[in-house]
Amino acid sequence: MSKELTLTVISPDKILYQGKAESVILPGSVGYFGILPGHATLVSQLDFGLIKLHTAGKEFRIAIDGGFCEVRNDQIRVLTEGGDSEDDLTHDHAIELLQEAESLPISKEKENLLKKAKVRILLHER
């Protein structure tokens, strides 16, 4: 059995991450769940949230806007509607996104933009 996972996170715009991980935590539609090497085959819907991956004793985080994941043979594939890594935007920019979303009239779009902004803010908090 392998001691590593291969994680690929893809949005319509770009590949957000492609590489190895010792463990991965994903934002499932009913809560966060973890994947370790040897995990059973799985397909799951994902919600707005953070993907947390651990490799070489470090944690790397990616904000995603929902989507789906497939786990099979120690490979995790995530397809998301959008996302950012910690290096993609600053905390200040995330605050600006929140302020812009809060200024919109009540709608489903506002709700989704608020979720997106809040996840981007969490991306920079430890």
Side-chain angles (χ1 to χ4, degrees):
M1 178 170 58
S2 173
K3 294 185 181 182
E4 283 187 315
L5 300 161
T6 301
L7 174 64
T8 305
V9 182
I10 302 170
S11 76
D13 301 330
K14 60 186 171 183
I15 296 175
L16 296 167
Y17 182 85
Q18 189 167 25
K20 300 291 184 181
E22 296 161 5
S23 66
V24 177
I25 298 172
L26 298 164
S29 60
V30 293
Y32 281 84
F33 62 95
I35 306 292
L36 294 169
H39 198 285
T41 299
L42 166 75
V43 174
S44 180
Q45 183 176 355
L46 301 175
D47 202 355
F48 285 83
L50 296 178
I51 295 175
K52 299 175 186 177
L53 65 106
H54 296 91
T55 186
K58 295 180 182 176
E59 181 181 83
F60 184 73
R61 298 165 3 142
I62 304 164
I64 63 165
D65 302 337
F68 292 90
C69 76
E70 175 190 43
V71 178
R72 184 186 316 180
N73 299 327
D74 291 332
Q75 294 188 21
I76 304 170
R77 291 180 193 91
V78 174
L79 300 176
T80 181
E81 296 170 21
D84 292 295
S85 70
E86 293 173 283
D87 299 331
D88 288 339
L89 80 164
T90 65
H91 185 264
D92 290 340
H93 186 237
I95 296 292
E96 289 174 17
L97 291 174
L98 180 63
Q99 291 168 344
E100 288 172 15
E102 287 174 336
S103 70
L104 296 172
I106 295 174
S107 67
K108 185 67 174 170
E109 179 186 6
K110 176 180 181 168
E111 183 181 322
N112 286 337
L113 289 173
L114 284 170
K115 287 180 187 178
K116 178 179 179 174
K118 289 176 182 178
V119 169
R120 296 323 188 266
I121 291 169
L122 286 175
L123 187 61
H124 291 283
E125 295 181 359
R126 295 273 175 188

